[in-house]
Every structure is written in C-alpha cells, then in structure tokens.
C-alpha cells in the first residue's frame, strides 16, 4: 500500500534510567531532507538518528526532535579536600594552644567550611545514551509510519475513484469517435446534394473523403494507451511505496494522450469529455504530490 509523505509520530521511554522523548513530523518534498535537533550532549548520536530515518523514509522533509534527560543515570560522588581540611584543623588547634580558647571543632562544622567538600557528577555513558535514543526513536518511527499508511489508504481510495472516472470517460470517447465519422459523412453528403443537385454525386469520392477524415480523427491508439496507463497506475498503487515519482511520470504520459485526443477531435461532445478528463487528472496530479 502507498504511504503519504505527510505524517507525525512521537514516543517517550526510559532505558537504563535515561529518559528520552522523540517526535517526528514531515511534509512533502522532492527528496529526503532530514533535520535533527538534539541536546548538545548528544550530538554524537546525530548520524545514527539520520541513518534510522533514511532506513524508514525515502522522500519528504522530516523534522526530528529529541530530548534526553540523564539526570537519573548520572553518578554523583563527594570529594574531600583533605589538605584544606587539615589546615582548618591545624588552625583550630593553634588557636587552642596559643590563646586557650575552646577547641570545639567538629566534623559537621568542618564540612561546612568553604571548599572542604565538592560534588562531582559522572555523565551517563555514551553507549547507554545511544541505545536509549535508538530505542525510543524506533517507537516514534513506528507511530510515524502508521500515520503515513493511514493517510496513504485515503489517497489510494481517492485516486482509484478518479481513475475509474477517467476510464469511464475514455469509453465515452471510444463510443463517440466513430459517430463523428458517420456524422461527417452525412454532412458532406448533404452539402454535395445541395451544391450538385441533380447533377449526381460521386459516392466513391464521398467514401474517400470520409475515410480520410476517419483516419485524421481516429483516437484508437490514444485510448488504448490511456487504458494501459490506467491499468499500470492501479498496479503501482497496489504495489506500495515508494512510487510517487513513477506515478508523477505516468500522469505526464496520460496527460499527453488526453491532449492528443482533444487535438484530433473537433466534436464538441468529445471536447467536453477531454476537458473533464484533464480536470480529473489534475486532481490526481495534486494528490500524488503527497505520495512517497
């Protein structure tokens, strides 16, 4: 089944105490254009994210947003500045020895002294962060792909309906085309009768002129090719993505056959049918711009 280039997907998850949130959204684009937004601490994962996106998507402008919270995975250690602590203890002892003041220095008081202790945070391992990002991004891509598939089903049904309409109009052209030759022959015969009167009419010449006209306005080749293109279009739609570019080319070929049909036939009924076919084909052209 075909897929739309427009979609959205999001997921949140926790892997090894690393919290990750991933969002993807896309719009139409001729080629794949991926924009990735990551925290500075996770820029090392950008290439991996791009690879995951390109493996799942072939066309479209895709924006990827990732947030990573490693605060629960970081390890916090407390370090004691032993030389400074020893200096504080020595200073307290000096005051006691020289001035006889009470030496009531305690460990808790010492810990409150400036710069005696410091905290250090050990960042989460890059491998763990990359694993978390890949896992949550994978879930977001599944959601993203599901939405594109749902949109693709709607496009598929709409385009099939328009193809049916065009095929029905092709049948009307095929039916009307021989009638225009008969009408031309009758019109020519009436005109010759009016001009020549009782002088007589050359039936062979009438048949010859009608044959020349029939060859000139024959659209059998165009209608056969149109039916072939319609069948191929249906087959491509059923085959699945990515087929957007192929369908775009096929629409151009169909448009060429319809234009040729219109230029060959001077009949007003066929001309109106050709205009209606072009209108339906233009709607199809607009729709396939959304197809991957």
């Amino acid at each position: 089944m075909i897929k739309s280039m427009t979609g959205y997907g999001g997921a949140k998850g926790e892997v090894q105490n690393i919290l990750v949130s991933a969002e993807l959204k896309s719009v139409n684009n001729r080629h794949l254009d991926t924009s990735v937004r990551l925290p500075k601490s996770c820029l090392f994962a950008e290439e991996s994210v791009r690879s995951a996106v390109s493996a799942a998507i072939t066309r479209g402008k895709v924006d990827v947003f990732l947030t990573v919270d490693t605060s629960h995975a970081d390890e916090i250690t407390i370090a004691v500045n032993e030389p400074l602590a020893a200096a504080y203890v020595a200073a307290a002892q000096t005051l006691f020895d020289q001035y006889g003041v009470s030496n009531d220095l305690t460990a808790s008081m010492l810990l409150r002294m400036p710069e005696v202790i410091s905290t250090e945070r050990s960042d989460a391992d890059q491998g763990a962060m990359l694993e978390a990002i890949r896992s949550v991004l994978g879930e977001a891509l599944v959601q993203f792909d599901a939405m594109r598939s749902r949109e693709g089903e709607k496009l598929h049904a709409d385009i099939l309906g328009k193809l049916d309409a065009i095929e029905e109009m092709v049948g009307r052209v095929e039916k009307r085309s021989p009638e225009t030759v008969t009408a031309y022959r009758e019109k020519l015969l009436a005109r010759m009768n009016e001009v020549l009167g009782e002088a007589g009419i050359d039936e062979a010449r009438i048949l010859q002129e009608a044959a020349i006209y029939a060859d000139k306005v024959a659209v059998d080749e165009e209608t056969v090719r149109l039916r072939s293109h319609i069948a191929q279009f249906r087959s491509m739609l059923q085959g699945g993505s990515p087929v957007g570019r192929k369908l775009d080319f096929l629409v151009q070929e169909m448009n060429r056959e319809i234009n040729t049909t219109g230029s060959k036939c001077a009949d007003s009924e066929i001309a109106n049918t050709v205009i209606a076919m072009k209108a339906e084909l233009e709607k199809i052209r607009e729709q396939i711009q959304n197809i991957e």
Side-chain angles (χ1 to χ4, degrees), residues 94 97 114-116 187 189 253 288-289 291:
T94 298
D97 293 340
E115 300 181 8
V116 171
K187 185 177 180 180
L189 183 60
E253 293 300 306
I288 63 174
Q289 302 310 310
I291 296 176

Side-chain angles (χ1 to χ4, degrees), residues 210-241:
I212 293 172
Y213 180 79
D215 184 63
K216 181 180 178 181
V217 301
V219 292
D220 302 52
E221 292 182 7
E222 287 74 19
T223 57
V224 167
R225 282 195 291 266
L226 261 175
R227 288 188 180 277
S228 175
H229 292 333
I230 292 171
Q232 190 176 1
F233 211 114
R234 290 194 180 107
S235 177
M236 286 184 180
L237 287 175
Q238 196 62 36
S241 292

